[in-house]
Every structure is written in C-alpha cells, then in structure tokens.
Amino acid sequence: MNKARRKELSDVIRGLNTIQDKDDLYSWINTLDSIKDDEQDYYDNIPENLQYSQRAEDSEQAIEHMEDALSLLNEVYDEDEFDKSSELIQEAIDKIEEARW
C-alpha cells in the first residue's frame, strides 16, 4: 500500500470516529470501497515476477482487511436503528488499522 492510500485510510478512521448519521457512514463506506478498489488495481497489475513478493502479500492482506471492514460497516448501515457507537464500527476501524500496515 502506498503512502497516499495509507493517508486516505487514516482519514476514513478519523471520519468513522466522528460520524453523526447514516449519510456520514455511507460516505465513508464509499470512500473505503474506492481505496480498496485502488489497492486491488495495484495488486492486479503487479508484474508476474513480483506476485509472490512481500509487497504483493501485504497488498493482498490489506485488501482482505478492507473487505472485512466494509462488510462490518455495511452491516451497521443496514440496521434499522443507526448506532454511531456500534461495536461493529470499532471492529471495522480495527480492520482498517490492520490494512494500513
């Protein structure tokens, strides 16, 4: 993961810590999904001779962590009652933290 995507993930974490409503959550879900797509594009375009490198493995793990976080955030979004202090949001933040490294 490059420095720019790490910074974007930091922004997502800050945003998730201050969400007020479902609209805020929806916006951060879309931002995270875009970052994940960018990382997936990077991973998909790694040259064949580097596909088993540490960098490729790190990228793959970051994608998996972001997918897990997106699943958790979508679960919160789909709940009937929006709870900005949901444990699922914190779990998603933890997954995003893992993706950054």
Side-chain angles (χ1 to χ4, degrees):
M1 175 165 305
N2 68 21
K3 186 176 180 178
R5 281 193 289 280
R6 280 192 189 101
K7 183 191 177 314
E8 290 175 317
L9 288 178
S10 294
D11 293 343
V12 171
I13 291 168
R14 275 192 296 281
L16 290 173
N17 280 316
T18 62
I19 57 173
Q20 296 300 312
D21 55 31
K22 274 189 156 182
D23 290 337
D24 285 347
L25 178 58
Y26 183 76
S27 175
W28 290 115
I29 289 171
N30 286 332
T31 300
L32 180 58
D33 194 43
S34 176
I35 298 166
K36 181 197 63 82
D37 289 346
D38 289 346
E39 188 67 19
Q40 184 69 57
D41 287 343
Y42 166 79
Y43 179 78
D44 291 343
N45 290 300
I46 292 175
E48 188 174 322
N49 63 332
L50 297 175
Q51 289 179 348
Y52 299 102
S53 68
Q54 185 63 45
R55 183 174 276 181
E57 185 178 315
D58 291 346
S59 178
E60 184 176 33
Q61 288 178 341
I63 293 164
E64 289 174 12
H65 290 306
M66 286 185 277
E67 287 173 344
D68 291 345
L70 284 164
S71 178
L72 292 164
L73 294 173
N74 280 310
E75 191 174 332
V76 173
Y77 186 79
D78 291 340
E79 291 176 355
D80 290 334
E81 290 293 316
F82 175 71
D83 179 8
K84 68 180 181 181
S85 63
S86 171
E87 290 178 19
L88 295 175
I89 293 173
Q90 186 55 53
E91 286 180 49
I93 289 170
D94 293 344
K95 290 291 182 183
I96 297 167
E97 286 283 355
E98 291 177 40
R100 287 184 346 165
W101 309 108

